Amino acid sequence: MTNYDEIDFSPLDALTDGEVITHSPVRDIRLPSGKVLALITLDNGRDHNRPNTLGPATLTELGATLATLKARAAAGEIHAVGITGKQYIMAAGADLSDISRVGSRDNARLIAQRGHQVLGSLSELGVPSFAFVNGLALGGGLEIALNSTYRTVDASAAAVALPEVFLGIIPGWGGAYLLPNLIGIENALEVVVSNPLKQNRMLKPQQAYDYGIFDAIFPAANYLEDSLTWADRVLSGTVKVVRKNEPGKIERLTKWPIAIKVARGMLESKIGTVPKSPYAALELLEKAKGGTKAEGFAREDEALAELVTGDQFAASMYAFDLVQKRAKRPVGAPDKELAKKVTKVGIIGAGLMASQFALLFVRKLQVPVLITDLDQARVDKGIAYIHEEIGKLEAKGRLDGDTANKLRALVTGTTDKSLYADCDFVIEAVFEEVGVKQQVFGEIEQIIAEDAILATNTSSLSVEEIGAKLAHPERLVGFHFFNPVAVMPLIEIVKTPQTTDAALSTAFVVAKGLGKNAVLTADAPGFVVNRLLAKVMGEAARAVYEGTPLLTVENAFRPLGLPMTPFQLIDLVGWKVAAHVQDTMAHAFPDRFYANENFHRLAELPEVVEKDKSGRVTGWSKAASSVLKGAVGQTPASEDEILRRVQDGLAQEIKLMLDEGVVPEVEDIDLCLILGAGWPFIDGGASPYLDREGASERVFGDTFHHPVIKGIGG
């Protein structure tokens, strides 16, 4: 059994350079009963934009603070210990800002052990410990609470979560053992595994309380006072803390193994077996069913040491940095002071895409939104859809009645294009054909003000060509959304040689107002995401038409760790859209992109592939088999051949995009893939993965990153 007090933690001293230390000052509070509670307030001395984090120096100081309090408790000076955070923040977990300096697996294990030693001492003070979670509590911030005897939460806290699996690691300071034994296996699976894999979903305080993570929840107004009063009553015995999932009440024999088995099946069907951290977490949760806390902590030490030093965590930290920092400061965006103020938005079209745009613009910008179409029936259908979606948001409690009514009133529809006259920003959502887009913009340009901005949502056409017949092509900008519009966080903002800084600036400001991350791209076929997805889908199609069985092709792509296999993806975006994108790319780059006339024949079918209940492709439909009969060759490729082709094809395309100046740097390509295509964090987008797999070296004799982004090894 590990005795943490006998471990030499001095190697961690080298990791403290530059650490923003979260201090742990203590003040004694005399409770109404006369008992004394020593209250620790975690505070790094910065405002709420720099959350408390738990680095090596922070843990050393907190450990010393707790040791002093343990001695005071033994001397009878204090009757309880409380721990809370600075305003709005408990702690945002371990300090991962320079994790690459860990240097070895032994040091990674020491970080896990240090956290267990310090946080674990909260339950060994000789007096009860109370965690007063007054704000954001992520990872180690929540594990402070889990290691305490009792826990309360501020009802207004920003979020409560164990997000480690999202970053390619596991809750390693007690979370994987303590949580299932506190709230039961099913709830723990939700918090530790499912939520991180749902785009890092977090719990609101009320949800966390309902799960049983906290013993009490109090409003923000008097949160600390109420918590201290409650603690006093617990100490005096007038409040008896009853937990619905006390260890003796948690059913372990049947429910626990079944829940683990179901979760494993769900993981395998949804994410495949490439990601390591979800399965490591699952194994820890499974073993938490029995054994001692010390054994549980030791298992976390080993799992964390292995994952922190692995390739997937290194890539995840690179991806996390892109999403947290680079996405918030778009490279190449002009000064926002140049942006035109948008007081009314026009949307050309009233179909599903246009209606999704209208809903997003009106919800986020809360300005008048106008939709038009060729006839009133289509307009009415679009308006009805928007009203229905607002109604759904109201029914779920995400909008109050007044706001819902206001939003409905802001959306109008008509066939009268003269009403575009006072629109500042007009975006089209019409058929993906240059001539159609040129025609509608030509009409609208006659009506709108000279400084109004025009935006096209084209997914792969030339924005410059779309604007070629405009009197003022400099006002046109590409503004490419991804489906579903409300969910996908990326907008590709496309600049033509004519686009003014004012038009670009307006597009970036509008994108931010919509709650989206924008990346600037040049006007090149497919821009970023669709160009690379077309490479993936084209290689899948090429293999099929060579005669490779469908499931062999699907399996070949699994090591990429993508959220969907190629034919799942094609089925989602639509076969007609996929066929059109492939045609565009094959026309632009016939030597590098694959298209086949049978794509269009398949696109006319009501069903192309058959899928099981979990959405996995199981085979061609009968109609598709008929179309493909006689159309495929007799030279099937192996899974390894297909994977190597797609790896090398992606490496070649990304290198060419950088050479052509489609985006400023490879980081922008990875950011686009992560935000626009759900490319996994564990790959770091695409480029770190291609470097590690040797594709970059094979294709252009170098790597995208220097040094290559990979695990630090043992």
Side-chain angles (χ1 to χ4, degrees):
M1 208 60 62
T2 307
N3 183 344
Y4 293 125
D5 292 334
E6 293 178 355
I7 294 172
D8 175 15
F9 290 108
S10 61
L12 296 183
D13 294 343
L15 305 179
T16 61
D17 289 351
E19 179 184 338
V20 177
I21 300 173
T22 297
H23 297 290
S24 44
V26 180
R27 59 190 169 113
D28 286 358
I29 295 178
R30 188 163 294 279
L31 301 171
S33 66
K35 290 184 168 65
V36 175
L37 179 144
L39 181 65
I40 302 166
T41 302
L42 300 173
D43 193 346
N44 62 5
R46 309 289 181 89
D47 67 18
H48 63 278
N49 292 309
R50 181 64 166 84
N52 294 332
T53 49
L54 307 172
T58 296
L59 289 173
T60 298
E61 182 178 320
L62 179 58
T65 300
L66 291 170
T68 299
L69 293 177
K70 182 173 184 176
R72 291 185 65 202
E77 294 175 19
I78 57 173
H79 305 91
V81 171
I83 185 164
T84 191
K86 68 180 184 181
Q87 192 173 20
Y88 309 125
I89 308 281
M90 183 74 170
D95 183 356
L96 302 174
S97 59
D98 205 2
I99 199 74
S100 61
R101 289 168 53 209
V102 167
S104 70
R105 184 168 174 151
D106 286 342
N107 282 356
R109 186 184 294 105
L110 282 178
I111 289 173
Q113 292 171 332
R114 185 60 147 165
H116 278 131
Q117 180 201 37
V118 175
L119 271 57
S121 68
L122 281 160
S123 63
E124 299 163 1
L125 298 173
V127 293
S129 54
F130 293 82
F132 302 136
V133 177
N134 64 312
L136 184 77
L138 307 180
L142 179 54
E143 286 170 310
I144 286 172
L146 293 174
N147 278 281
S148 300
T149 320
Y150 302 102
R151 294 160 289 279
T152 74
V153 66
D154 184 324
S156 71
V160 173
L162 292 174
E164 286 86 353
V165 164
F166 176 71
L167 294 173
I169 51 176
I170 48 96
W173 287 346
Y177 178 83
L178 297 171
L179 190 70
N181 284 298
L182 177 68
I183 65 174
I185 187 60
E186 287 144 322
N187 288 343
L189 282 165
E190 191 77 24
V191 176
V192 175
V193 180
S194 301
N195 282 353
L197 295 177
K198 292 174 183 168
Q199 294 185 311
N200 203 16
R201 182 182 290 178
M202 300 190 181
L203 298 176
K204 294 292 184 194
Q206 186 64 49
Q207 291 174 290
Y209 171 71
D210 291 341
Y211 273 7
I213 296 174
F214 295 99
D215 300 312
I217 183 168
F218 298 113
N222 295 299
Y223 170 69
L224 187 56
E225 295 89 331
D226 289 346
S227 291
L228 290 167
T229 301
W230 180 84
D232 192 29
R233 296 176 69 198
V234 170
L235 292 170
S236 62
T238 57
V239 164
K240 175 91 171 92
V241 175
V242 178
R243 295 174 181 148
K244 58 185 176 185
N245 287 319
E246 290 282 9
K249 298 177 185 174
I250 293 176
E251 204 286 307
R252 295 165 189 276
L253 291 178
T254 309
K255 190 182 285 188
W256 202 295
I258 289 173
I260 294 289
K261 185 179 179 182
V262 169
R264 192 179 301 278
M266 289 287 287
L267 283 178
E268 288 173 359
S269 69
K270 291 200 167 172
I271 64 168
T273 55
V274 175
K276 293 180 180 177
S277 63
Y279 294 99
L282 198 63
E283 191 172 326
L284 290 171
L285 291 170
E286 181 178 20
K287 290 180 177 174
K289 176 167 74 86
T292 64
K293 182 169 78 169
E295 290 167 342
F297 283 11
R299 288 192 295 266
E300 290 178 1
D301 292 335
E302 293 308 315
L304 198 63
E306 181 177 344
L307 292 169
V308 162
T309 52
D311 291 341
Q312 293 189 357
F313 179 60
S316 293
M317 289 310 299
Y318 163 78
F320 185 68
D321 195 59
L322 293 183
V323 170
Q324 290 298 307
K325 295 178 183 174
R326 194 175 185 91
K328 291 176 171 57
R329 292 187 288 277
V331 176
D335 188 337
K336 62 185 177 186
E337 298 302 320
L338 297 172
K340 177 177 171 57
K341 185 170 172 59
V342 174
T343 59
K344 183 179 178 182
V345 172
I347 298 170
I348 307 170
L352 182 58
M353 185 63 89
S355 299
Q356 288 183 64
F357 289 173
L359 184 65
L360 180 67
F361 276 96
V362 78
R363 276 192 70 198
K364 297 294 188 178
L365 302 187
Q366 302 212 354
V367 298
V369 174
L370 172 72
I371 65 171
T372 64
D373 214 314
L374 299 174
D375 58 64
Q376 194 61 41
R378 294 185 200 191
V379 171
D380 291 344
K381 186 177 178 182
I383 294 289
Y385 168 84
I386 295 160
H387 284 190
E388 186 181 334
E389 291 299 308
I390 291 171
K392 288 178 186 175
L393 292 168
E394 187 180 3
K396 290 177 184 172
R398 291 173 63 186
L399 292 175
D400 60 45
D402 288 346
T403 304
N405 288 333
K406 177 188 171 187
L407 296 184
R408 289 188 192 97
L410 283 171
V411 181
T412 55
T414 180
T415 56
D416 180 5
K417 295 188 176 65
S418 69
L419 296 182
Y420 281 111
D422 57 347
C423 287
D424 308 295
F425 188 92
V426 179
I427 184 169
E428 62 76 20
V430 299
F431 190 66
E432 188 75 345
E433 193 175 284
V434 170
V436 175
K437 294 182 190 292
Q438 286 178 336
Q439 181 189 340
V440 296
F441 277 144
E443 289 177 34
I444 298 304
E445 191 179 31
Q446 312 290 321
I447 299 163
I448 58 175
E450 282 191 12
D451 61 346
I453 308 301
L454 293 173
T456 172
N457 179 52
T458 183
S459 57
S460 57
L461 299 174
S462 164
V463 177
E464 185 175 16
E465 189 180 352
I466 290 168
K469 296 184 179 178
L470 290 173
H472 294 286
E474 70 277 1
R475 67 163 75 184
L476 178 64
V477 64
F479 203 73
H480 179 220
F481 284 92
F482 292 83
N483 227 345
V485 169
V487 176
M488 297 304 285
L490 179 69
I491 293 177
E492 290 174 328
I493 293 182
V494 185
K495 177 185 182 180
T496 74
Q498 292 81 29
T499 309
T500 64
D501 280 354
L504 265 190
S505 178
T506 305
F508 275 99
V509 170
V510 168
K512 187 173 183 182
L514 296 174
K516 303 295 185 185
N517 297 120
V519 174
L520 180 66
T521 92
D523 187 20
F527 314 127
V528 175
V529 175
N530 281 340
R531 181 163 170 174
L532 294 173
L533 288 183
K535 174 57 71 175
V536 170
M537 293 189 287
E539 290 306 324
R542 188 196 305 274
V544 164
Y545 287 113
E546 287 173 341
T548 313
L550 176 63
L551 295 186
T552 300
V553 178
E554 293 282 271
N555 287 333
F557 285 79
R558 294 198 188 280
L560 284 169
L562 299 180
M564 293 184 184
T565 58
F567 290 102
Q568 267 183 307
L569 177 65
I570 292 171
D571 211 52
L572 176 73
V573 301
W575 286 79
K576 287 186 178 179
V577 173
H580 178 79
V581 171
Q582 291 304 135
D583 284 351
T584 300
M585 299 312 300
H587 177 73
F589 309 116
D591 57 326
R592 300 200 311 276
F593 281 82
Y594 182 84
N596 188 295
E597 66 278 0
N598 283 309
F599 245 59
H600 291 278
R601 291 177 63 198
L602 291 172
E604 296 302 319
L605 301 176
E607 182 186 55
V608 182
V609 291
E610 294 177 344
K611 291 187 280 192
D612 62 18
K613 287 179 183 177
S614 64
R616 283 185 293 194
V617 172
T618 56
W620 297 112
S621 68
K622 285 183 181 177
S625 296
S626 178
V627 167
L628 293 170
K629 194 173 183 181
V632 298
Q634 301 298 315
T635 55
S638 70
E639 290 182 16
D640 287 346
E641 283 178 86
I642 297 166
L643 179 62
R644 188 170 174 126
R645 272 190 218 164
V646 79
Q647 288 173 345
D648 290 0
L650 287 169
Q652 180 187 31
E653 213 55 42
I654 291 171
K655 180 68 166 67
L656 286 167
M657 290 162 77
L658 295 171
D659 292 345
E660 295 163 10
V662 175
V663 291
E665 295 176 296
V666 74
E667 286 84 355
D668 298 301
I669 289 175
D670 290 323
L671 184 59
C672 283
L673 289 173
I674 291 163
L675 297 178
W679 220 274
F681 264 48
I682 59 167
D683 282 353
S687 66
Y689 167 81
L690 297 171
D691 283 350
R692 290 199 314 272
E693 292 295 313
S696 314
E697 196 73 47
R698 292 195 297 267
V699 170
F700 59 90
D702 198 355
T703 54
F704 291 112
H705 298 277
H706 304 91
V708 170
I709 295 167
K710 61 181 181 179
I712 55 182

